Amino acid sequence: QDPYYRFNDLNYRWISLDNWTYSKEFKIPFDHSKWQKVILIFEGIDTVTKILLNNVTLGKTDNMFNRYSFDITGVVRDVNSIELRFQSAVLYAAEQSKAHTGYQVPPNCPPLVQKGECHVNFIRKEQCSFSWDWGPSFPTQGIWKDVRIEAYNICHLNYFTFSPTYDSTSHEWNLEIQSSFDVVSSKPVGGQVVVAIPKLQTQRTYSIELQPGERIVELLVKIDKNVSVENWWPHGHGNQMGYNMTILFKLDGDLNIEKSAKVYFRTVELIEEPIEGSSGLSFYFKINGFPIFLKGSNWIPADSFQDRVTSDLLRLLLQSAVDANMNTLRVWGGGIYEQDEFYELCDQLGIMIWQDFMFACALYPTDQSFMDSVSAEVAYQIRRLKSHPSIIIWSGNNENEAALMMNWYGIPPSDYPTYIKDYVMLYVKNIREVVLAEDSTRPFIASSPTNGAESVAEGWVSHYPHDTHFGDVHYYSYSSDCWNWELFPKARFVSEYGYQSWPSFSTLEKVSSKEDWSFRSKFSLHRQHHEHGNTEMLYQAGLHFRLPQSTDPLRTFRDTIYLTQVVQAQCVKIETEFYRRSRSEIVNGEGHTMGALYWQLNDIWQAPSWASLEYGGKWKMLHYFAQHFFAALLPVGFEDNNVFYVYGVSDLHSDCRLTLTVRVHMWSSLKPVCSRVTKHFVIKPGEAILIYKKPVPSLLRRCSNCTRQSCVVSFYLSTDSKPLGPTNYHFLSSLREAVGLQKAHITALISQQGDTFVFDLETSAVAPFVWLDVGSIPGRFSDNGFLMAEKTRTILFYPWKATSKSELEQSFHVTSLTDIY
């Protein structure tokens, strides 16, 4: 069965506890005796194997993230048998842990609620494959990337990689190209290298001579500064211009080796400097010299089985990030270094990547074989990835500085020097050294969260890594009221924060049966891998909403799913808007927030999680909200001491002359009861400023008979009387206290326009959180989860696969808040 169906993560666990052998007989389709060297290359093996060719042991593997190459010249025949003898990753990890007798390297096992396996920190494998608080335990074994045989005479190009660098004194671009050769000729090999970038009128020829053995050739290509070079910009800030480059090696013996690549030119700086009126240091990124607020989310593996992650799925998920106005994803350190196509798509789409190395929520061993394996892994991954402009920072690990210094694992004080020494040895003396040797074009931080330069000053581990005056923070709180913005950290950069919700019924239905469809079923508990997660969702919902009250258990389940999505969307909206409005101000010594990356973008399976995209790519309500709260131009409303404030936030590169329209609506009426337009004001590039301020009592007094409970505020920005950016809203009371809300009868007339479908909606009453759903028909709406405060509204549906009007009509279902009571 589908391994994701119901309880199969437990039913199929035996597979990962067994040792498996992959074997194959194959013929070589050429005369191998005519070649000086024949090599066998594995781009990726997951994970622990002994490899035999024709019963001769070639070697062993123990790192999923490394590339392995074996010289098979003396072993290969016309007809061959190959064997990969895999050892269970679970058993190997347990063995490695047991052999580490000097001291414990915690944590030993994941929390029981995750139903996972132990000692994942002892194996260089996708850390979440042993389970996580949003994902199952499927400790896979197999050949997860390409395998091939290559044969050559004279010499062979192992890899080539490059980095564009900008010389700010001479104002010119250079291209540093590094090529690695295996020279099998017994005498030196001479020749020429021709590098051509036609669109930049650049062609350079170099003479080279390669001595026998492994050789590295480094070239510096100067781009003529009289030629205009167009920079690569993140999404929302400019174009993603790239240039085609060819590199041709014309070597002795009529050997021609040609490679082509896309070259992008951009600079990145991580700015950590003093801020007036605040202790500590800033923490923000400049791209091409321009300060950019990083808006986005965190990326986890899109499936437990990587061969199911197709090009189409990657494009769908990454396009959805851009469609929600994101410009950044953090590739989280408990998953994998993503496939080449992931980074190529990010280059094309303008998505900046914060790239973790694959270490997460654990301490790690530092014995020599482990450290050597990590060095090789990091060097290989940097060479593979550093040419991508999308990657803007390398980060050593996820949460390990915090885990150590906040003592998650109850380490006795007397043992601290040992663990701190190990931490510095792994991330600083090993990983950082490799990064500095391989790539000088990007910043490196040892962990996330970290206090950045302050952590470095404290010996790479800070006594309090969550300090809001330095570096980045991760923030979670499920027991406090998410509508209270005063709880959120006014930090320099927030790289993780979030709330859980359940995925749509149509997503769950595919992996469950009728008896599973209730919030307290065995299945619902089994799928929830975060301790008390289901209870926390209902608690947060109960603070501002009444819980579903149907007597039909299936209806209650569907309504509860809907409500968890409402709550998640609203919580992350309030928190993100707080971070965005904090970019230009210092309050009580805190502020200048320059990044908001919520946890998490995508799902690994069908289960409750923090994601805004469900397994397969369907948008949750949160993702629709992200479209608005990450808009380039945004009005943000909030209250402080009974006064209603609106800030205007701009990510644009030029001044904006605007007005703000503030409207008050009664829950009982589809016509606004009053409306006010401000005078003109200007928002400068990259600024968040106060544009409106009114005590709530006086705002309501002007509007006939309005109370906090009976009315809601909406507001939007305009230029020359044309609305610009999203209409935002502010609730004056909890919705469970709302007065005048009526059951909304909402109808939709569906028509087709080209590849798009038009939904003409009409409502009988004001409806909060209007949710349009077409079941499992793939696609997304232009907006969803919205407040419908007018009688009619037109929404578009963009299908991802061919569908029809009749199919949409049959699947269409609309829910708004009053439907669940």
Side-chain angles (χ1 to χ4, degrees):
Q1 283 180 317
D2 177 355
Y4 283 173
Y5 182 68
R6 299 193 77 210
F7 305 97
N8 280 347
D9 56 317
L10 296 183
N11 298 338
Y12 294 165
R13 190 63 54 86
W14 63 272
I15 296 171
S16 63
L17 301 176
D18 235 330
N19 299 324
W20 294 83
T21 297
Y22 286 63
S23 61
K24 182 182 180 69
E25 290 212 342
F26 65 96
K27 287 180 179 171
I28 294 276
F30 55 84
D31 183 351
H32 57 86
S33 65
K34 290 185 175 167
W35 300 89
Q36 286 171 281
K37 194 162 184 178
V38 185
I39 55 173
L40 171 66
I41 296 169
F42 291 94
E43 293 291 349
I45 296 181
D46 176 17
T47 293
V48 184
T49 65
K50 183 178 175 185
I51 302 174
L52 293 90
L53 182 65
N54 302 328
N55 292 324
V56 176
T57 302
L58 298 180
K60 294 180 174 183
T61 71
D62 61 5
N63 190 325
M64 176 181 181
F65 307 122
N66 214 341
R67 176 182 187 268
Y68 288 93
S69 174
F70 300 100
D71 183 349
I72 59 168
T73 316
V75 186
V76 71
R77 303 176 191 153
D78 294 337
V79 180
N80 302 272
S81 67
I82 189 167
E83 244 183 27
L84 271 71
R85 294 178 187 166
F86 282 84
Q87 184 184 355
S88 157
V90 176
L91 301 182
Y92 172 85
E95 274 175 18
Q96 294 299 111
S97 169
K98 197 175 170 190
H100 196 281
T101 50
Y103 50 93
Q104 293 275 305
V105 185
N108 289 328
C109 299
L112 289 175
V113 70
Q114 290 182 20
K115 304 152 196 83
E117 298 296 344
C118 303
H119 307 298
V120 71
N121 49 342
F122 276 89
I123 182 168
R124 291 311 297 142
K125 175 175 170 61
E126 179 184 19
Q127 298 290 276
C128 66
S129 66
F130 277 38
S131 80
W132 216 261
D133 57 6
W134 37 253
S137 178
F138 283 109
T140 44
Q141 296 176 50
I143 303 165
W144 76 292
K145 290 196 171 185
D146 277 356
V147 52
R148 65 183 183 275
I149 285 174
E150 293 182 353
Y152 49 93
N153 293 329
I154 307 172
C155 83
H156 176 69
L157 179 66
N158 297 325
Y159 68 81
F160 100 104
T161 183
F162 55 88
S163 300
T165 58
Y166 186 68
D167 186 333
S168 50
T169 45
S170 64
H171 303 293
E172 64 184 356
W173 282 100
N174 296 317
L175 197 58
E176 295 171 1
I177 301 174
Q178 189 183 68
S179 310
S180 164
F181 288 92
D182 179 19
V183 181
V184 291
S185 162
S186 55
K187 54 183 194 289
V189 177
Q192 287 187 325
V193 192
V194 183
V195 180
I197 310 171
K199 271 202 167 165
L200 293 179
Q201 297 159 39
T202 298
Q203 179 159 324
R204 304 277 184 273
T205 304
Y206 306 83
S207 294
I208 57 168
E209 187 173 74
L210 301 169
Q211 298 299 320
E214 296 281 336
R215 292 287 168 247
I216 285 180
V217 174
E218 291 183 333
L219 304 172
L220 185 70
V221 180
K222 285 187 182 298
I223 308 297
D224 186 341
K225 65 176 170 189
N226 297 319
V227 176
S228 170
V229 175
E230 200 179 324
N231 288 346
W232 179 93
W233 285 97
H235 174 65
H237 291 274
N239 297 327
Q240 290 75 49
M241 183 62 184
Y243 296 90
N244 293 324
M245 172 178 77
T246 56
I247 179 164
L248 174 63
F249 297 92
K250 296 196 275 193
L251 303 172
D252 295 349
D254 289 335
L255 180 61
N256 284 353
I257 302 170
E258 188 168 19
K259 287 282 175 189
S260 59
K262 201 87 156 166
V263 185
Y264 300 86
F265 296 88
R266 68 103 187 87
T267 62
V268 56
E269 303 159 85
L270 173 57
I271 308 297
E272 295 181 89
E273 60 190 17
I275 296 173
E276 199 179 324
S278 175
S279 62
L281 298 168
S282 64
F283 190 92
Y284 69 92
F285 291 87
K286 274 186 178 178
I287 304 294
N288 304 321
F290 188 81
I292 289 184
F293 188 106
L294 270 56
K295 305 181 292 193
S297 190
N298 286 263
W299 173 274
I300 65 163
D303 205 297
S304 293
F305 306 97
Q306 275 297 313
D307 50 320
R308 299 206 292 205
V309 183
T310 60
S311 299
D312 288 348
L313 178 62
L314 280 180
R315 184 171 283 281
L316 180 68
L317 295 172
L318 293 172
Q319 185 64 51
S320 291
V322 163
D323 289 344
N325 290 312
M326 296 184 185
N327 61 26
T328 307
L329 291 173
R330 172 172 170 250
V331 176
W332 167 78
I336 59 165
Y337 305 94
E338 275 299 332
Q339 49 183 286
D340 293 342
E341 191 166 5
F342 173 91
Y343 299 98
E344 286 160 11
L345 285 166
C346 290
D347 295 343
Q348 292 162 24
L349 293 168
I351 300 172
M352 292 180 281
I353 295 296
W354 172 312
Q355 179 67 52
D356 281 2
F357 290 104
M358 294 299 127
F359 302 84
C361 297
L363 307 183
Y364 286 84
T366 54
D367 52 272
Q368 198 56 51
S369 63
F370 188 87
M371 296 291 268
D372 291 346
S373 183
V374 168
S375 297
E377 162 193 331
V378 171
Y380 166 62
Q381 293 297 344
I382 293 174
R383 287 169 196 159
R384 180 173 75 94
L385 299 176
K386 74 173 184 180
S387 306
H388 292 284
S390 49
I391 299 174
I392 60 163
I393 187 170
W394 305 110
S395 174
N397 66 67
N398 173 72
E399 296 185 349
N400 297 350
E401 182 186 349
L404 180 59
M405 300 313 286
M406 304 313 289
N407 205 3
W408 293 4
Y409 309 121
I411 294 165
S414 57
D415 291 345
Y416 251 83
T418 301
Y419 291 101
I420 289 173
K421 182 169 165 274
D422 280 358
Y423 181 92
V424 173
M425 182 109 75
L426 179 57
Y427 303 110
V428 183
K429 294 182 175 169
N430 186 345
I431 292 174
R432 180 173 175 268
E433 287 301 315
V434 178
V435 172
L436 293 176
E438 295 289 340
D439 181 20
S440 59
T441 68
R442 287 176 183 81
F444 168 85
I445 54 172
S447 186
S448 173
T450 181
N451 289 346
E454 175 60 20
S455 285
V456 177
E458 291 181 46
W460 295 95
V461 285
S462 186
H463 70 286
Y464 184 61
H466 301 294
D467 195 328
T468 52
H469 300 85
F470 298 97
D472 65 325
V473 301
H474 295 184
Y475 175 80
Y476 295 97
S477 176
Y478 309 113
S479 57
S480 41
D481 179 0
C482 80
W483 284 29
N484 179 7
W485 57 265
E486 292 177 50
L487 299 166
F488 304 131
K490 209 170 180 75
R492 307 300 190 210
F493 195 108
V494 190
S495 45
E496 276 192 32
Y497 60 98
Y499 296 85
Q500 279 200 324
S501 71
W502 274 78
S504 322
F505 183 72
S506 60
T507 296
L508 288 169
E509 200 177 14
K510 298 180 177 79
V511 289
S512 57
S513 64
K514 281 198 173 118
E515 71 224 64
D516 302 327
W517 298 339
S518 81
F519 204 68
R520 289 184 172 82
S521 69
K522 193 180 163 199
F523 172 81
S524 291
L525 281 170
H526 175 76
R527 241 30 196 204
Q528 174 58 273
H529 281 197
H530 166 60
E531 193 84 63
H532 310 305
N534 291 351
T535 313
E536 286 168 354
M537 279 187 261
L538 294 184
Y539 168 77
Q540 194 65 246
L543 294 175
H544 297 288
F545 302 90
R546 289 184 315 180
L547 299 181
Q549 276 140 25
S550 171
T551 50
D552 172 5
L554 178 57
R555 168 104 193 264
T556 302
F557 184 50
R558 297 177 81 132
D559 289 348
T560 305
I561 288 170
Y562 161 80
L563 187 58
T564 66
Q565 291 208 16
V566 167
V567 171
Q568 178 195 36
Q570 189 65 14
C571 285
V572 178
K573 170 190 191 288
I574 293 165
E575 189 167 350
T576 307
E577 289 182 346
F578 169 75
Y579 298 138
R580 290 201 66 194
R581 69 176 164 88
S582 298
R583 77 172 286 170
S584 302
E585 66 183 13
I586 295 292
V587 178
N588 300 325
E590 295 180 316
H592 276 217
T593 309
M594 283 298 284
L597 310 178
Y598 67 75
W599 185 269
Q600 68 207 65
L601 179 75
N602 55 319
D603 258 333
I604 197 166
W605 71 333
Q606 307 89 337
S609 81
W610 294 258
S612 62
L613 296 175
E614 298 178 5
Y615 178 77
K618 185 172 181 174
W619 288 29
K620 285 185 182 175
M621 196 179 292
L622 169 56
H623 209 79
Y624 288 101
F625 275 39
Q627 236 183 333
H628 298 309
F629 63 61
F630 282 145
L633 204 57
L634 179 72
V636 175
F638 65 98
E639 277 184 58
D640 194 9
N641 291 326
N642 216 18
V643 177
F644 175 58
Y645 297 88
V646 179
Y647 273 51
V649 183
S650 170
D651 284 333
L652 303 175
H653 286 230
S654 54
D655 288 2
C656 268
R657 190 169 181 266
L658 303 158
T659 57
L660 177 76
T661 303
V662 179
R663 286 181 174 162
V664 179
H665 310 257
M666 289 185 94
W667 287 122
S668 57
S669 166
L670 282 164
K671 291 199 171 79
V673 285
C674 58
S675 181
R676 159 132 206 278
V677 182
T678 65
K679 289 180 180 161
H680 280 94
F681 52 84
V682 172
I683 307 181
K684 292 191 169 73
E687 189 175 64
I689 57 162
L690 178 65
I691 55 175
Y692 181 83
K693 176 183 176 182
K694 196 84 174 170
V696 175
S698 71
L699 177 68
L700 295 179
R701 235 188 340 265
R702 290 178 56 246
C703 302
S704 53
N705 302 322
C706 255
T707 66
R708 279 183 170 277
Q709 288 71 31
S710 66
C711 290
V712 61
V713 183
S714 74
F715 45 97
Y716 59 89
L717 297 166
S718 300
T719 179
D720 304 327
S721 303
K722 284 200 289 283
L724 203 59
T727 296
N728 210 336
Y729 54 84
H730 175 70
F731 297 128
L732 296 163
S733 75
S734 290
L735 282 152
R736 64 188 169 91
E737 294 160 3
V739 172
L741 260 182
Q742 297 156 14
K743 282 260 185 201
H745 179 61
I746 302 171
T747 56
L749 203 63
I750 305 173
S751 57
Q752 188 167 358
Q753 274 185 7
D755 293 337
T756 305
F757 292 86
V758 180
F759 285 64
D760 286 309
L761 305 175
E762 191 170 311
T763 182
S764 62
V766 174
F769 303 107
V770 174
W771 183 245
L772 314 176
D773 191 53
V774 288
S776 51
I777 296 174
R780 72 167 180 92
F781 290 94
S782 55
D783 196 7
N784 215 342
F786 47 83
L787 171 67
M788 194 161 174
E790 60 289 312
K791 192 174 172 58
T792 60
R793 181 148 183 195
T794 299
I795 299 289
L796 304 177
F797 179 74
Y798 306 109
W800 294 333
K801 283 191 182 137
T803 186
S804 65
K805 181 184 161 197
S806 63
E807 201 176 20
L808 287 168
E809 283 169 343
Q810 281 168 2
S811 302
F812 179 66
H813 183 74
V814 61
T815 309
S816 71
L817 191 64
T818 52
D819 292 328
I820 70 172
Y821 303 133

